[in-house]
Amino acid sequence: MSSSADRPLTDFEGAVLAVIARRGEATAYQVAKEFERSPSEYWSGSVGAVYPLVERMRQQGFLEGHAGAQGRRARTVLRLTDTGKVAFQGWMFDSDRAAGMGFDPLRTRMVYLGGAPQEERQAFLAQVEARLAVFAQTPGFPDEPDLERLHQSWIAARLAWVRRLMED
């Protein structure tokens, strides 16, 4: 991997720093759990993804760890270094990347859906609408009102978009 000064953070790296920054400090396990509980399947909460990334970010100087203990189990508690704070701020407030199109599985399908027969397009959109309606009824962050409002506003915007596409 290139050095931290050579490139901007990936969204996964930025999100890991964001979790730790929001908490003040966290273990790799806590970071993995945060991703695991996300209603988005985009974020992997697997320890096979989070732990190696955290270790690379420690080696690159974004994170520092200190020994902590929980019961008889040893653990490393992580916090952002000054370099990590600068990198996090750069990622967090990069409006060009934040406004970018990014990966969106529905939008990707919309590009190619025009080639499908009208009946199949409408059936697909109706299925997506029904699935979004279920998401709207299922709290994504029941214990965090601010995140839940964000989650619900995203679902409402998606529903409005899909319903508009169904009219075309």
Side-chain angles (χ1 to χ4, degrees):
M1 252 185 180
S2 59
S3 75
S4 59
D6 293 2
R7 61 170 180 77
L9 295 175
T10 67
D11 283 331
F12 192 30
E13 291 168 332
V16 165
L17 293 182
V19 169
I20 297 169
R22 185 171 69 145
R23 290 172 164 261
E25 57 181 31
T27 64
Y29 177 80
Q30 290 170 319
V31 172
K33 284 302 199 186
E34 181 106 3
F35 288 128
E36 185 179 278
R37 74 182 186 98
S38 170
S40 170
E41 59 275 350
Y42 182 77
W43 300 110
S44 171
S46 79
V47 295
V50 173
Y51 282 63
L53 177 61
V54 164
E55 185 53 35
R56 282 193 306 274
M57 294 182 83
R58 282 182 69 184
Q59 291 172 4
Q60 293 172 335
F62 294 119
L63 298 171
E64 61 186 7
H66 63 87
Q70 187 167 358
R72 291 187 282 165
R73 178 176 285 168
R75 66 187 191 148
T76 301
V77 179
L78 304 161
R79 75 180 120 225
L80 275 62
T81 62
D82 289 342
T83 299
K85 290 174 185 174
V86 169
F88 167 66
Q89 292 291 315
W91 172 81
M92 183 70 198
F93 298 108
D94 183 344
S95 59
D96 289 335
R97 284 182 56 204
M101 295 302 272
F103 176 69
D104 181 339
L106 180 58
R107 189 186 68 237
T108 300
R109 285 167 176 78
M110 294 292 97
V111 170
Y112 303 103
L113 195 60
Q118 175 70 12
E119 188 175 296
E120 288 181 35
R121 282 195 309 266
Q122 289 299 327
F124 170 73
L125 291 170
Q127 290 170 348
V128 171
E129 177 187 33
R131 188 70 183 127
L132 286 168
V134 169
F135 288 156
Q137 298 303 313
T138 307
F141 301 94
D143 299 330
E144 298 186 55
D146 291 339
L147 289 179
E148 184 59 24
R149 277 192 297 280
L150 177 65
H151 177 70
Q152 290 298 326
S153 68
W154 179 86
I155 291 171
R158 294 296 270 198
L159 267 168
W161 182 48
V162 167
R163 289 174 177 151
R164 183 172 176 274
L165 290 170
M166 292 173 76
E167 295 170 1
D168 293 342

Short mmCIF file of all heavy atoms in Angstrom, two decimals, residues 104-115 121 124-125 128 158 161-162 165-166:
data_model
loop_
_atom_site.label_atom_id
_atom_site.label_comp_id
_atom_site.label_asym_id
_atom_site.label_seq_id
_atom_site.Cartn_x
_atom_site.Cartn_y
_atom_site.Cartn_z
N ASP A 104 -24.12 2.19 -6.60
CA ASP A 104 -25.54 2.15 -6.26
C ASP A 104 -26.16 1.04 -7.10
O ASP A 104 -26.35 1.19 -8.30
CB ASP A 104 -26.18 3.50 -6.59
CG ASP A 104 -27.66 3.55 -6.25
OD1 ASP A 104 -28.30 2.49 -6.14
OD2 ASP A 104 -28.17 4.67 -6.10
N PRO A 105 -26.46 -0.11 -6.50
CA PRO A 105 -26.94 -1.24 -7.27
C PRO A 105 -28.26 -0.97 -8.01
O PRO A 105 -28.45 -1.47 -9.12
CB PRO A 105 -27.11 -2.37 -6.25
CG PRO A 105 -26.91 -1.77 -4.91
CD PRO A 105 -26.32 -0.41 -5.08
N LEU A 106 -29.13 -0.17 -7.44
CA LEU A 106 -30.38 0.14 -8.13
C LEU A 106 -30.13 1.03 -9.33
O LEU A 106 -30.63 0.77 -10.43
CB LEU A 106 -31.38 0.80 -7.17
CG LEU A 106 -32.73 1.17 -7.79
CD1 LEU A 106 -33.43 -0.05 -8.40
CD2 LEU A 106 -33.62 1.84 -6.76
N ARG A 107 -29.33 2.07 -9.14
CA ARG A 107 -29.03 2.96 -10.27
C ARG A 107 -28.34 2.20 -11.39
O ARG A 107 -28.64 2.40 -12.56
CB ARG A 107 -28.17 4.14 -9.80
CG ARG A 107 -28.01 5.20 -10.88
CD ARG A 107 -27.03 6.30 -10.49
NE ARG A 107 -25.69 5.75 -10.43
CZ ARG A 107 -24.91 5.79 -9.37
NH1 ARG A 107 -25.30 6.37 -8.26
NH2 ARG A 107 -23.70 5.26 -9.38
N THR A 108 -27.43 1.30 -11.04
CA THR A 108 -26.75 0.49 -12.06
C THR A 108 -27.76 -0.31 -12.86
O THR A 108 -27.68 -0.38 -14.09
CB THR A 108 -25.72 -0.44 -11.40
OG1 THR A 108 -24.77 0.36 -10.70
CG2 THR A 108 -25.01 -1.30 -12.42
N ARG A 109 -28.73 -0.90 -12.21
CA ARG A 109 -29.75 -1.68 -12.92
C ARG A 109 -30.64 -0.78 -13.78
O ARG A 109 -31.07 -1.18 -14.86
CB ARG A 109 -30.59 -2.47 -11.92
CG ARG A 109 -29.85 -3.67 -11.37
CD ARG A 109 -30.56 -4.26 -10.15
NE ARG A 109 -29.91 -5.46 -9.68
CZ ARG A 109 -28.80 -5.49 -8.94
NH1 ARG A 109 -28.19 -4.36 -8.61
NH2 ARG A 109 -28.28 -6.63 -8.55
N MET A 110 -30.89 0.42 -13.31
CA MET A 110 -31.73 1.35 -14.08
C MET A 110 -31.12 1.67 -15.44
O MET A 110 -31.84 1.85 -16.42
CB MET A 110 -31.95 2.66 -13.31
CG MET A 110 -32.75 2.53 -12.04
SD MET A 110 -34.47 2.10 -12.33
CE MET A 110 -34.46 0.35 -12.08
N VAL A 111 -29.80 1.72 -15.51
CA VAL A 111 -29.11 2.00 -16.77
C VAL A 111 -29.50 0.96 -17.82
O VAL A 111 -29.68 1.29 -18.99
CB VAL A 111 -27.57 2.02 -16.56
CG1 VAL A 111 -26.84 2.07 -17.89
CG2 VAL A 111 -27.17 3.19 -15.67
N TYR A 112 -29.66 -0.28 -17.40
CA TYR A 112 -29.90 -1.38 -18.33
C TYR A 112 -31.35 -1.85 -18.37
O TYR A 112 -31.73 -2.61 -19.25
CB TYR A 112 -28.99 -2.56 -17.98
CG TYR A 112 -27.55 -2.14 -18.01
CD1 TYR A 112 -26.85 -1.90 -16.83
CD2 TYR A 112 -26.90 -1.92 -19.21
CE1 TYR A 112 -25.54 -1.47 -16.85
CE2 TYR A 112 -25.58 -1.48 -19.25
CZ TYR A 112 -24.91 -1.27 -18.07
OH TYR A 112 -23.61 -0.84 -18.11
N LEU A 113 -32.16 -1.36 -17.46
CA LEU A 113 -33.55 -1.81 -17.37
C LEU A 113 -34.37 -1.38 -18.58
O LEU A 113 -35.35 -2.03 -18.93
CB LEU A 113 -34.19 -1.28 -16.08
CG LEU A 113 -35.49 -1.92 -15.65
CD1 LEU A 113 -35.31 -3.41 -15.42
CD2 LEU A 113 -36.00 -1.26 -14.38
N GLY A 114 -33.94 -0.31 -19.25
CA GLY A 114 -34.67 0.16 -20.42
C GLY A 114 -34.77 -0.88 -21.53
O GLY A 114 -35.70 -0.84 -22.35
N GLY A 115 -33.88 -1.83 -21.57
CA GLY A 115 -33.91 -2.88 -22.59
C GLY A 115 -34.87 -4.01 -22.28
O GLY A 115 -35.13 -4.85 -23.13
N ARG A 121 -40.13 -4.50 -16.44
CA ARG A 121 -39.63 -3.31 -15.75
C ARG A 121 -40.57 -2.93 -14.61
O ARG A 121 -40.13 -2.67 -13.49
CB ARG A 121 -39.51 -2.12 -16.72
CG ARG A 121 -38.31 -2.18 -17.61
CD ARG A 121 -38.02 -0.84 -18.27
NE ARG A 121 -39.13 -0.21 -18.95
CZ ARG A 121 -39.42 -0.33 -20.25
NH1 ARG A 121 -38.65 -1.06 -21.02
NH2 ARG A 121 -40.45 0.29 -20.77
N PHE A 124 -40.39 -5.42 -11.73
CA PHE A 124 -39.15 -5.22 -10.96
C PHE A 124 -39.29 -4.01 -10.06
O PHE A 124 -38.97 -4.07 -8.86
CB PHE A 124 -37.97 -5.06 -11.92
CG PHE A 124 -36.70 -4.62 -11.25
CD1 PHE A 124 -35.98 -5.51 -10.45
CD2 PHE A 124 -36.25 -3.32 -11.39
CE1 PHE A 124 -34.81 -5.10 -9.82
CE2 PHE A 124 -35.08 -2.91 -10.77
CZ PHE A 124 -34.36 -3.80 -9.98
N LEU A 125 -39.74 -2.89 -10.61
CA LEU A 125 -39.87 -1.67 -9.81
C LEU A 125 -40.88 -1.86 -8.68
O LEU A 125 -40.68 -1.35 -7.57
CB LEU A 125 -40.24 -0.49 -10.70
CG LEU A 125 -39.13 -0.03 -11.65
CD1 LEU A 125 -39.66 0.98 -12.65
CD2 LEU A 125 -37.95 0.54 -10.87
N VAL A 128 -39.08 -3.72 -5.98
CA VAL A 128 -38.17 -2.82 -5.26
C VAL A 128 -38.97 -1.91 -4.33
O VAL A 128 -38.59 -1.70 -3.17
CB VAL A 128 -37.30 -2.00 -6.25
CG1 VAL A 128 -36.52 -0.91 -5.52
CG2 VAL A 128 -36.36 -2.92 -7.02
N ARG A 158 -35.55 7.15 -1.70
CA ARG A 158 -35.51 6.01 -2.63
C ARG A 158 -36.92 5.63 -3.08
O ARG A 158 -37.14 5.35 -4.26
CB ARG A 158 -34.85 4.80 -1.97
CG ARG A 158 -33.41 4.96 -1.66
CD ARG A 158 -32.60 5.12 -2.91
NE ARG A 158 -32.17 3.83 -3.39
CZ ARG A 158 -31.19 3.67 -4.26
NH1 ARG A 158 -30.53 4.69 -4.71
NH2 ARG A 158 -30.86 2.48 -4.68
N TRP A 161 -38.15 8.09 -5.62
CA TRP A 161 -37.46 7.88 -6.90
C TRP A 161 -38.05 6.69 -7.64
O TRP A 161 -38.37 6.77 -8.83
CB TRP A 161 -35.97 7.70 -6.66
CG TRP A 161 -35.16 7.52 -7.92
CD1 TRP A 161 -35.21 8.25 -9.05
CD2 TRP A 161 -34.18 6.53 -8.14
NE1 TRP A 161 -34.31 7.79 -9.99
CE2 TRP A 161 -33.65 6.72 -9.43
CE3 TRP A 161 -33.65 5.49 -7.36
CZ2 TRP A 161 -32.66 5.92 -9.97
CZ3 TRP A 161 -32.65 4.71 -7.91
CH2 TRP A 161 -32.17 4.92 -9.19
N VAL A 162 -38.22 5.56 -6.95
CA VAL A 162 -38.77 4.36 -7.58
C VAL A 162 -40.20 4.61 -8.06
O VAL A 162 -40.57 4.23 -9.18
CB VAL A 162 -38.71 3.15 -6.62
CG1 VAL A 162 -39.54 1.99 -7.13
CG2 VAL A 162 -37.25 2.74 -6.43
N LEU A 165 -40.07 6.55 -11.23
CA LEU A 165 -39.68 5.68 -12.34
C LEU A 165 -40.83 4.79 -12.80
O LEU A 165 -40.95 4.49 -13.99
CB LEU A 165 -38.49 4.80 -11.93
CG LEU A 165 -37.15 5.51 -11.73
CD1 LEU A 165 -36.14 4.57 -11.09
CD2 LEU A 165 -36.64 6.07 -13.04
N MET A 166 -41.67 4.39 -11.86
CA MET A 166 -42.82 3.55 -12.22
C MET A 166 -43.83 4.31 -13.08
O MET A 166 -44.55 3.70 -13.86
CB MET A 166 -43.50 3.01 -10.94
CG MET A 166 -42.63 2.01 -10.21
SD MET A 166 -43.32 1.51 -8.62
CE MET A 166 -44.61 0.39 -9.18
#
